[in-house]
Amino acid sequence: MAIKITLFIILISQILGLAHASKYEKDIRLQASLSQILMEPEPFQTIQNNNPVVTLFTIHGSNTIGASLGPKLAISYLKAKGAVNVTNQPSSIENEKIITGELIRQGKTIQIKIEAHGSSTGFKGLDNGDAEIWASSRPVKDKEVNKLINQYDLRSHESEHILGIDGLAIVVNPENPINRLSKEQLGQVFSGQVINWSQLGGYDQKINLYARDQNSGTWDSFKNMVLSKTLKLSDSAQRFESSSQLANRVTADKGGIGFIGMAFVGKNKLLAISDGPAQAFKPSEMTVATEDYALSRRLFFYTKGISNNKYVNEFMNYAQGVYGQNIVKTEGVVSQNVISTGMELDKSLPKDYLDLVEGAKRLSINFRFKEGSAKLDNKSKIDILRLVYFLNQQGQDLKLSDNFEKPNVMLIGFGDKRKNSQRSKLLSKLRAMAIRRELARLGIHPKVTTGYGDFNPVAGFLGKSGLKNRRVEVWVK
């Protein structure tokens, strides 16, 4: 509907010879963008189904999502659509739940089924038709994409939906004196090369390893980010399907160390983690939201493109919008809604960069791009809308695009290491300019667009981890 209105206004503007047709286009795009990010589910209409119990859709996959976050989103969604007596009904099978609600006037019970046995099981459910939504705590694999590529592209904007950002939390017993590890040290620990905490500066205490099971997306994320292709998990590691059970074991074991999602840390001690030359960070709302934390990861919902099930499409939009992301935040996962904060910066950074951001606040988004492409990735496409909403909340007048010059928006690009430092700097600026173009379409004109090349890395420069350095920060004054 918004596209039709936009085309109509452009046509009328041309006919009347109006000089400011482009401004009308931008205003319509702006309003359509806000409508998308502020989407609320429509009330239930009459359900054309004779059964007294109707399943709207089924979610299979990640325990990190399915244990609590998925059910909370489903409950909120059903309530927003007008269902009453909405409850979370545990199944007789562990890690399975049914979210039910009543449509009293229609005399029906509606439900959403959730099975949380690990990310890999979710792909199988999506593939064989047992599930309309695959919940995953790791990105889709090449072999999974290839299996469905003749029907759907699971990496497309229509199929891949980023639910939130999670920090892969490295936890130890509260009495452990160790505060930080590098990714290299972490790999040595979990591969069994380092077996005593004294080897890392801690007590003379045997290291006991706790890991998620083979079906877990959390395990896949850890394996790819820490062990990579060169290391193998030690045979001594105890494996768990449940994140909560793993966390409890670490709490009870002075020599224990494990990896889980941030929502499951409990009473355990969080370690700060560094990657290559980057600073060591603990997972926090800001370091995880920007994906600066070395072990940050995205949580996903995958669908077979735009679903034939209208409830699935509506649920996807709701989960990624402002209201759904508010639910995400309550569950210990980092919301994608934009926040601002002051930042402590390394004084070794270029002086003109430090002068530029002095007195400014950093926003909780880093724009990133598809691998090997200048195109925005699926998260960044919606982050553009989130940034628009954030600026609107700062008191900007959406009807007058020029007013977006306050607060001052600054786009600062960074990149990976190149043989020619000037080339690295140029590429980082071009990335910032790509974001500027997207914002300009909505009438938002940043005051500063620049690039600093390979300064201030958030990851090592080798391998796929180096891709994290190709980013555009957003600051406001």
Side-chain angles (χ1 to χ4, degrees):
M1 179 61 73
I3 294 175
K4 292 180 179 179
I5 294 174
T6 301
L7 294 174
F8 176 76
I9 289 180
I10 294 172
L11 178 61
I12 294 299
S13 299
Q14 291 173 340
I15 292 173
L16 296 177
L18 293 176
H20 299 291
S22 61
K23 181 179 183 303
Y24 283 95
E25 295 173 42
K26 291 174 183 177
D27 287 342
I28 291 298
R29 291 193 194 109
L30 202 55
Q31 297 298 342
S33 297
L34 284 178
S35 297
Q36 180 177 340
I37 208 70
L38 290 168
M39 192 281 286
E40 295 185 82
E42 296 181 356
F44 277 111
Q45 303 299 315
T46 301
I47 295 179
Q48 303 298 327
N49 189 313
N50 294 327
N51 295 325
V53 179
V54 178
T55 300
L56 298 185
F57 52 82
T58 300
I59 303 172
H60 285 189
S62 166
N63 177 261
T64 299
I65 297 172
S68 183
L69 175 56
K72 286 289 180 64
L73 278 169
I75 289 170
S76 176
Y77 172 70
L78 293 186
K79 288 181 176 179
K81 288 187 70 65
V84 297
N85 300 326
V86 180
T87 58
N88 181 351
Q89 300 286 342
S91 168
S92 58
I93 302 175
E94 189 175 6
N95 294 323
E96 294 188 10
K97 300 176 176 66
I98 301 176
I99 311 304
T100 65
E102 296 180 12
L103 303 179
I104 295 176
R105 291 185 178 180
Q106 297 188 43
K108 293 185 182 298
T109 296
I110 42 111
Q111 62 184 21
I112 296 171
K113 294 182 177 180
I114 300 175
E115 297 183 13
H117 298 293
S119 294
S120 295
T121 66
F123 172 75
K124 294 174 184 175
L126 187 70
D127 181 28
N128 63 28
D130 288 343
E132 289 100 329
I133 299 172
W134 166 24
S136 182
S137 54
R138 47 92 173 161
V140 61
K141 298 177 180 179
D142 289 342
K143 66 179 181 181
E144 294 164 339
V145 171
N146 293 335
K147 187 171 184 181
L148 293 178
I149 196 63
N150 292 329
Q151 306 170 60
Y152 310 95
D153 180 3
L154 288 178
R155 290 197 176 105
S156 71
H157 183 60
E158 292 77 20
S159 295
E160 184 179 71
H161 316 274
I162 291 82
L163 177 59
I165 313 296
D166 191 24
L168 199 62
I170 306 302
V171 292
V172 295
N173 184 273
E175 296 183 23
N176 194 318
I178 297 294
N179 293 313
R180 61 179 56 84
L181 293 173
S182 67
K183 277 177 65 172
E184 182 181 8
Q185 289 173 317
L186 200 56
Q188 292 170 344
V189 167
F190 275 89
S191 63
Q193 297 176 42
V194 172
I195 60 175
N196 193 292
W197 285 110
S198 62
Q199 294 174 262
L200 300 168
Y203 297 136
D204 182 11
Q205 176 86 41
K206 178 178 176 291
I207 296 176
N208 296 319
L209 305 176
Y210 299 97
R212 290 294 309 279
D213 70 355
Q214 200 71 25
N215 288 325
S216 164
T218 302
W219 157 245
D220 272 321
S221 295
F222 182 85
K223 179 174 65 174
N224 291 331
M225 288 191 285
V226 177
L227 298 178
S228 191
K229 296 180 180 179
T230 59
L231 299 175
K232 177 180 177 293
L233 181 68
S234 170
D235 292 335
S236 69
Q238 297 183 48
R239 310 296 293 270
F240 295 83
E241 181 180 71
S242 167
S243 294
S244 297
Q245 290 178 5
L246 187 155
N248 290 338
R249 289 296 297 275
V250 174
T251 305
D253 182 359
K254 290 184 179 181
I257 183 172
F259 56 88
I260 47 178
M262 283 177 63
F264 301 93
V265 171
K267 298 178 180 179
N268 290 305
K269 180 179 180 178
L270 266 176
L271 296 186
I273 305 297
S274 63
D275 182 5
Q279 179 182 346
F281 290 111
K282 286 185 179 180
S284 68
E285 185 174 20
M286 194 66 178
T287 63
V288 171
T290 59
E291 299 177 278
D292 288 351
Y293 172 58
L295 301 182
S296 60
R297 60 168 179 172
R298 299 177 179 186
L299 301 182
F300 302 88
F301 279 147
Y302 286 99
T303 59
K304 291 180 177 179
I306 298 175
S307 176
N308 293 325
N309 184 331
K310 65 180 181 180
Y311 299 114
V312 169
N313 297 325
E314 188 179 52
F315 183 67
M316 291 299 98
N317 291 332
Y318 175 67
Q320 294 177 94
V322 170
Y323 303 117
Q325 289 298 303
N326 286 340
I327 301 296
V328 168
K329 184 175 182 178
T330 66
E331 287 300 300
V333 175
V334 174
S335 165
Q336 296 172 94
N337 289 339
V338 180
I339 62 171
S340 64
T341 185
M343 292 287 288
E344 288 287 336
L345 294 175
D346 189 334
K347 299 305 180 184
S348 67
L349 291 169
K351 184 177 184 303
D352 58 338
Y353 170 71
L354 295 174
D355 291 342
L356 180 64
V357 300
E358 185 177 1
K361 290 191 174 182
R362 172 94 178 269
L363 299 191
S364 60
I365 47 175
N366 274 346
F367 288 105
R368 286 189 165 85
F369 302 80
K370 291 184 177 180
E371 185 175 348
S373 170
K375 295 181 179 179
L376 293 175
D377 67 11
N378 291 333
K379 173 173 163 42
S380 291
K381 288 177 181 178
I382 301 184
D383 278 342
I384 291 285
L385 310 185
R386 295 184 178 111
L387 178 56
V388 170
Y389 175 70
F390 173 83
L391 293 173
N392 175 49
Q393 292 298 100
Q394 300 304 300
Q396 301 308 297
D397 182 359
L398 292 177
K399 296 179 181 178
L400 299 172
S401 298
D402 291 343
N403 280 3
F404 269 107
E405 293 187 357
K406 294 182 180 180
N408 294 338
V409 178
M410 298 185 290
L411 303 175
I412 305 176
F414 293 91
D416 50 357
K417 191 175 286 294
R418 302 273 175 159
K419 291 182 180 179
N420 185 320
S421 62
Q422 289 303 311
R423 178 171 173 76
S424 178
K425 190 171 182 179
L426 174 61
L427 289 172
S428 66
K429 184 173 181 178
L430 289 174
R431 293 188 186 101
M433 291 175 66
I435 303 301
R436 182 186 182 90
R437 285 194 297 273
E438 291 295 323
L439 293 175
R441 291 181 68 251
L442 301 173
I444 303 171
H445 304 285
K447 282 289 188 181
V448 174
T449 307
T450 189
Y452 282 89
D454 59 12
F455 283 104
N456 199 23
V458 295
F461 289 113
L462 300 177
K464 284 197 171 184
S465 65
L467 295 174
K468 289 185 68 174
N469 294 317
R470 302 176 189 175
R471 68 197 191 278
V472 176
E473 295 179 355
V474 186
W475 295 72
V476 293
K477 278 188 178 180

